[in-house]
């Protein structure tokens, strides 16, 4: 089955700086790569996703890049704000809709 | 739509007791997932259904765990008998085809 690895496990950044989280996947048939944000005590919520026919996608301060050849994808958050502090999960799935999640990255934005 | 609805929100039970977690997916969604979240193991997929049919239950940890989806608007995850190591937050999520998965609020299970 799919194996998704995520790095780093924790990330502390100064407010206004950028944060980058990287994930690799094992199943070359995976074609859907969402990112979820989970605030403390809350449910995971989708913040951005990308499909295999696209190399990059941007939504305001958040961007995701995908390298299918290398089987890795990354989340970029620019101009970080305190409300960006949360756990971020990457995930991958193929046409069977089965989402496999990475272990998560705890992001702390220092004011 | 109120989103994915899970009940109960919190459950405390004694070891050996049966526990039943419930989920109502978003109307019209045809995929339903049960996840377990712990600090040690992160988000683990236990089982998922497509059009009410279990497609992959390879994540179900033991025979003590079972899940059903009798119709498109309801699913249950049952643990019998429960053990302290089953303590976790259990999330149900639903999606339409290969689109965004929406998570419920989760059920925090504590087995003492």
């Amino acid at each position: 089955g799919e194996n998704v690895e995520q790095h780093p496990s924790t990330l502390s950044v100064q407010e206004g700086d950028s944060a980058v989280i990287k994930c690799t996947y094992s199943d070359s048939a995976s074609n859907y790569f969402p990112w979820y944000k989970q605030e403390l005590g809350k449910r995971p919520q989708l913040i951005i996703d990308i499909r295999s026919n696209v190399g990059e996608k941007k939504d305001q301060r958040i961007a995701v890049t995908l390298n299918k050849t290398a089987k890795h994808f990354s989340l970029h958050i620019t101009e970080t704000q305190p409300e960006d502090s949360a756990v971020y999960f990457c995930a991958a799935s193929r046409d069977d809709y089965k989402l496999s999640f990475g272990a998560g990255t705890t992001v702390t934005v220092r004011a | 739509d109120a989103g994915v609805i899970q009940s109960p929100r919190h459950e405390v039970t004694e070891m050996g007791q049966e526990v039943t977690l419930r989920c109502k997916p978003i109307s019209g969604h045809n995929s339903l997932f049960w996840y377990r979240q712990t600090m040690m193991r992160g988000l683990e997929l236990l089982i998922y259904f497509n059009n009410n049919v279990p497609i992959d239950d390879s994540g179900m940890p033991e025979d003590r765990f079972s899940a059903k989806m009798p119709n498109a608007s309801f699913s249950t995850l049952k643990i019998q008998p429960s053990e302290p190591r089953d303590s976790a937050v259990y999330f149900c999520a639903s999606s339409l085809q290969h689109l965004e998965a929406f998570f419920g609020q989760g059920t925090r299970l504590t087995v003492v």
Side-chain angles (χ1 to χ4, degrees), chain B residues 24-30 32 51-52 69-75:
Chain B
K24 182 181 187 312
I26 293 174
S27 177
H29 282 189
N30 60 352
L32 183 140
N51 294 322
N52 312 338
M69 192 165 186
N71 56 63
S73 58
F74 184 65
S75 177

Side-chain angles (χ1 to χ4, degrees), chain A residues 42-97:
Chain A
K42 302 280 185 68
R43 75 186 87 184
Q45 291 189 289
L46 182 76
I47 54 172
I48 194 168
D49 57 11
I50 191 168
R51 297 186 184 276
S52 59
N53 57 345
V54 176
E56 184 174 357
K57 185 176 179 181
K58 190 173 181 180
D59 183 4
Q60 299 183 334
R61 296 186 298 107
I62 294 174
V64 59
T65 59
L66 170 65
N67 183 327
K68 284 218 73 179
T69 303
K71 290 191 283 188
H72 66 70
F73 56 113
S74 301
L75 177 72
H76 304 251
I77 307 173
T78 58
E79 300 172 23
T80 53
Q81 300 169 4
E83 54 263 38
D84 294 329
S85 295
V87 180
Y88 292 80
F89 294 94
C90 63
S93 78
R94 44 192 294 177
D95 289 336
D96 58 0
Y97 319 139

Side-chain angles (χ1 to χ4, degrees), chain A residues 31 36 38 43 51 96 98, chain B residues 37 48 56 98 101 103:
Chain A
N31 55 17
Y36 283 79
Q38 186 178 26
R43 75 186 87 184
R51 297 186 184 276
D96 58 0
K98 178 181 172 180
Chain B
Q37 187 175 37
Y48 85 99
D56 186 344
H98 208 186
F103 282 76

